[in-house]
Amino acid sequence: MKIFLDTANIASIRHYSEMGMVDGITTNPTLLSKEGGDPEEIIRKIVKMVQGPVSLEVISTEVTQIMEEAYILKQYGSNVVIKVPMIPDGLKAVKKLREEGIDTNVTLVFSATQALLAAKAGASYVSPFIGRLDDIGNDGMSLIRDINQIFKNYQYNTKILVASVRHPIHVIESAKVGADVVTLPPDILGKMFLHPLTDKGLKTFISDWENLKKTNPSIKIL
Ligand code: E4P
């Protein structure tokens, strides 16, 4: 399963890229607005830093304007994926962009029917927002299971990009289902590193080594 970072924060992208954890990036207008500063400059930096796909979202809701925006966004780099909302004009744009060989990510997907339509239009990725479904008392993960089954039944090439991830259990469940990608806010990825027994064990190893050094002052290593 690939891990994308769901952020426009350059420091986080750099931090996790140094560990080889960043297979791609998803952004949206909200994430870019959180960073402040010049969004174009931020986008330029992200696209340069990351080798994998970088989803950049259009704002327009009418097909001709979506296409115009898509061409502008695509100029930032060959790894740019055009993120398009799950609306009828969005899917018209997805179909046109597919015909032109441009990758798309259909966002704001909340049902299996929406995912099916996005796949039929030729989306490269669908982004079901599982956390927002959980927030309103639905089961986000069951949507991932349904989409996975549907895509398998009909051999759609569209990848399932699990979005709106709220905690590490969402990540494990996505991997168990066989989702292609999870896109994670940096703090969720950070939580995946943590285990109290790791910290406890490391503390003991370090203090035991310090004690050993005291009784063997001639030890050369460390
Ligand atoms: C995905 O592409 C979206 O940017 C994101 O996952 C939305 O997450 P949220 O529900 O936490 O805003």
Side-chain angles (χ1 to χ4, degrees), residues 1-174:
M1 185 173 66
K2 291 199 185 297
I3 292 180
F4 290 2
L5 271 192
D6 196 25
T7 189
N9 184 273
I10 300 293
S12 300
I13 296 170
R14 185 172 296 117
H15 178 60
Y16 289 112
S17 293
E18 283 171 6
M19 300 174 212
M21 295 299 152
V22 182
D23 297 314
I25 299 290
T26 51
T27 64
N28 63 37
T30 306
L31 292 171
L32 278 162
S33 73
K34 272 190 199 158
E35 294 309 310
D38 176 359
E40 292 181 339
E41 186 55 32
I42 293 173
I43 290 171
R44 253 189 293 279
K45 279 188 185 157
I46 295 174
V47 172
K48 210 169 151 193
M49 278 171 77
V50 176
Q51 307 257 303
V54 176
S55 284
L56 301 179
E57 187 162 339
V58 299
I59 305 302
S60 306
T61 53
E62 187 279 321
V63 59
T64 314
Q65 287 166 9
I66 293 175
M67 293 301 289
E68 279 168 20
E69 253 192 90
Y71 296 136
I72 293 169
L73 293 174
K74 196 62 198 171
Q75 282 172 12
Y76 284 98
S78 56
N79 54 340
V80 168
V81 172
I82 309 300
K83 205 171 177 188
V84 177
M86 177 58 219
I87 55 175
D89 271 43
L91 294 196
K92 285 183 191 173
V94 166
K95 180 173 181 295
K96 285 177 185 289
L97 291 166
R98 165 55 50 232
E99 285 161 5
E100 295 178 23
I102 296 176
D103 284 327
T104 55
N105 172 1
V106 175
T107 189
L108 293 166
V109 168
F110 292 96
S111 73
T113 53
Q114 290 179 322
L116 177 61
L117 297 179
K120 279 184 79 67
S124 315
Y125 299 90
V126 284
S127 289
F129 278 32
I130 61 170
R132 293 193 196 184
L133 281 170
D134 290 356
D135 289 346
I136 60 159
N138 288 2
D139 178 8
M141 277 317 305
S142 77
L143 173 59
I144 303 302
R145 280 187 280 274
D146 287 350
I147 297 172
N148 190 47
Q149 187 182 336
I150 291 165
F151 284 8
K152 282 218 167 82
N153 285 351
Y154 298 103
Q155 282 126 41
Y156 285 118
N157 290 326
T158 304
K159 291 185 165 49
I160 302 175
L161 194 167
V162 181
S164 186
V165 171
R166 298 274 198 264
H167 47 70
I169 294 170
H170 275 154
V171 182
I172 298 304
E173 290 301 318
S174 299

